[in-house]
């Protein structure tokens, strides 16, 4: 196989010119004719949780089940498109490990593969694109450079080390128990302490989604809690989902006009969670923007210097907005308002559309959530949903987004050192830890009281170590004294056979029924409560 040179590709677009490492193309629609049929396609997921991976071109990744989860984890415009496709950029691999890449240098753009052609289009009009061929890492490095020039970079060089309440306690957090955890971490900087720089309170503190005041489990108020955190020498961190609104909230009752509607005047669905349908704030509505700014100022006023903003995709869903503005541009407008109101606080975006968040946040979650299990037959074969929280789903998408590192702090989600309440093997835990070292983003939810002495000391060493990281192959890294190849761990699972697929369709249909979702939610909560009763904090 001879090398593919860019001049062997037929490009149809308005115009094209040479740039360092590739070709710059202008056009609202671009078509590249490929010399051979590709073996693999690089799916680029829309937001943090969406699958981003190299997948064999003969392996369909649809349908993703259940249907009511599709909006939460993928771009609803393309979630059922049977072609290999993805947001803003796409790439194909030809025989001989040759990569051909096409990526937008702007927003509201999509790429798909049809036979031996790559097709790209903008939802709004003419756009610039970058075309590269050859070595994947080099091409993505140049793409990042070009994006940085246009969208900007995060402001913080090194991400802080974070203790996050979610992956042990989930929504079952309360003031006293968090103070106990804080106490057990020890004061920042002491010899035996765990050197987390941020103590981040996740989902569970608020009255509701859209009612961002402390609930009855936080009787002293969020400002007192921030004071306690700061007394230990740490920054206080808080989770919010400011672009989401649920029907039980006061924003929904009082300001229905702030919500995103479609062409027919119906509310746009942002998915389903917490036992309720989700709706989105219209970030072009001036009153909604004022509300967002004052919400951020309130959180800052309470004393929080680290803010994790979640479910941000809601701001970029298709719809008819107060101001006639393209969807990702509208999201960016909202994020700019948020950024300005947050001042110097660290901003971590999550569930966030990837390119539209660049330049406006410090950290970006680049994968779906990790979980206490590595993978499951249910998620891989029955639901075919690679955005469901799990160790392997998180590792796979994180790996394929490492090229974003020059642009933003890349958050691979938390690591585990505990063996209590977890179903990961030592090897699986260590793959996630290695990935966090590569990302230089270290976070954990381990409860100090659940750690053995040796687990606690391993966690301390992890937090304080800064091993040298070197890429040694397409999927391999040297991390300090050991080498790790992620390749075998991030491959896509095989396709289900016909019978399994039918079973999956039935389970997917059941999981789509709101009452059943509520029941599952309730059962999950009960077993969490039971677990916490048997595992004192
Ligand atoms: C809080 C969490 C954590 C986490 C976020 C985000 O509906 N779902 O299945 C679902 C799964 C994960 C999820 C949200 C919803 O995670 O990534 O870190 O902050 O929200 O609710």
């Amino acid at each position: 196989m001879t090398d593919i040179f860019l001049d062997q590709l037929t490009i149809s677009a308005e115009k094209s010119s040479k740039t360092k490492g590739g070709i710059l193309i202008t056009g609202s629609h671009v078509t590249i004719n490929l010399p051979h049929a590709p073996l693999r396609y690089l799916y680029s997921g829309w937001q943090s949780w969406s699958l981003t991976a190299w997948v064999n071109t003969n392996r369909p990744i649809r349908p993703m089940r259940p249907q009511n989860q599709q909006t939460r984890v993928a771009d609803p415009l393309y979630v059922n498109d049977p072609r290999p496709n993805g947001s803003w950029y796409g790439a194909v691999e030809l025989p001989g490990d040759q990569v051909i890449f096409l990526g937008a240098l702007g927003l509201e753009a999509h790429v798909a593969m049809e036979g031996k052609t790559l097709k790209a289009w903008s939802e709004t009009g003419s756009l610039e694109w970058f075309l590269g061929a050859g070595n994947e890492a080099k091409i993505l490095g140049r793409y990042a450079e070009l994006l940085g020039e246009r969208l900007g970079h995060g402001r913080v060089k090194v991400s802080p080390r974070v203790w996050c309440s979610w992956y042990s306690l989930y929504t079952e957090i309360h003031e006293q128990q968090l103070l106990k955890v804080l106490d057990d971490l020890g004061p920042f900087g002491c010899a035996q302490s765990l050197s987390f720089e941020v103590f981040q309170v996740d989902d569970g503190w608020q009255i509701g989604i859209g009612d961002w005041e402390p609930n009855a489990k936080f009787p002293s108020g969020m400002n007192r809690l921030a004071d306690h955190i700061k007394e230990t020498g740490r920054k206080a961190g808080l989770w919010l989902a400011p672009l989401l609104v649920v029907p039980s909230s006061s924003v929904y009752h009082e300001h229905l006009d702030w919500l995103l509607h479609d062409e027919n005047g119906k509310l746009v669905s942002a998915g389903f969670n917490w036992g309720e349908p989700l709706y989105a704030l219209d970030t072009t509505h001036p009153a909604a923007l004022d509300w967002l700014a004052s919400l951020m100022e309130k959180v800052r006023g309470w004393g929080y210097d680290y803010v994790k903003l979640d479910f941000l995709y809601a701001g970029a869903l298709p719809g008819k907005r107060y101001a006639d503005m393209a969807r990702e541009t509208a999201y960016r407008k909202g994020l700019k308002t948020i950024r300005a109101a947050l001042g110097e606080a660290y901003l971590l975006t999550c569930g966030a559309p990837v390119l539209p968040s660049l330049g406006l946040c410090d950290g970006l979650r680049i994968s779906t959530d990790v979980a206490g299990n590595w993978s499951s037959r249910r998620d891989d074969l029955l639901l075919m949903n690679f955005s469901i929280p799990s160790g392997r789903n998180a590792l796979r998408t994180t790996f394929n987004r490492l090229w974003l590192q020059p642009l933003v702090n890349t958050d691979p989600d938390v690591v585990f050192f505990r063996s209590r309440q977890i179903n990961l093997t030592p090897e699986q835990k260590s793959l996630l830890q290695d990935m966090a070292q590569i990302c230089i983003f270290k976070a954990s939810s381990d409860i100090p009281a659940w750690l053995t002495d040796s687990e606690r000391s391993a966690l301390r060493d992890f937090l304080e170590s800064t091993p040298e990281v070197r890429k040694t192959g397409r999927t391999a890294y040297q991390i300090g004294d050991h080498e790790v190849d992620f390749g075998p761990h991030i491959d896509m699972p095989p396709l289900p056979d016909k019978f399994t697929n039918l079973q999956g369709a039935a389970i997917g249909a059941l999981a789509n029924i709101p009452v059943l979702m509520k029941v599952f939610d309730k059962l999950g909560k009960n077993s969490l409560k039971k677990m916490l009763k048997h595992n004192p904090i």
Side-chain angles (χ1 to χ4, degrees), residues 49 69 72 166-167 202-203 239 273-274 308 310-311 350 365 369 389:
W49 304 327
Q69 282 293 317
R72 193 186 62 78
W166 184 249
Y167 302 86
D202 214 281
D203 187 3
W239 173 96
N273 200 16
W274 301 282
K308 172 179 175 185
D310 206 355
F311 288 81
C350 187
R365 246 295 273 296
D369 293 14

Side-chain angles (χ1 to χ4, degrees), residues 80-129:
N80 288 314
D81 191 327
R83 295 172 294 180
N85 74 89
S87 300
W88 313 290
Y89 65 91
V92 291
E93 197 180 284
L94 304 179
D97 258 7
Q98 304 254 17
V99 169
I100 296 173
F101 172 93
L102 179 62
L105 300 175
L107 308 182
E108 291 106 9
H110 212 79
V111 179
M113 189 197 94
E114 274 176 25
K116 276 167 53 177
T117 56
L118 263 184
K119 291 197 168 171
W121 63 96
S122 142
E123 288 173 21
T124 54
S126 200
L127 201 63
E128 266 190 306
W129 306 81

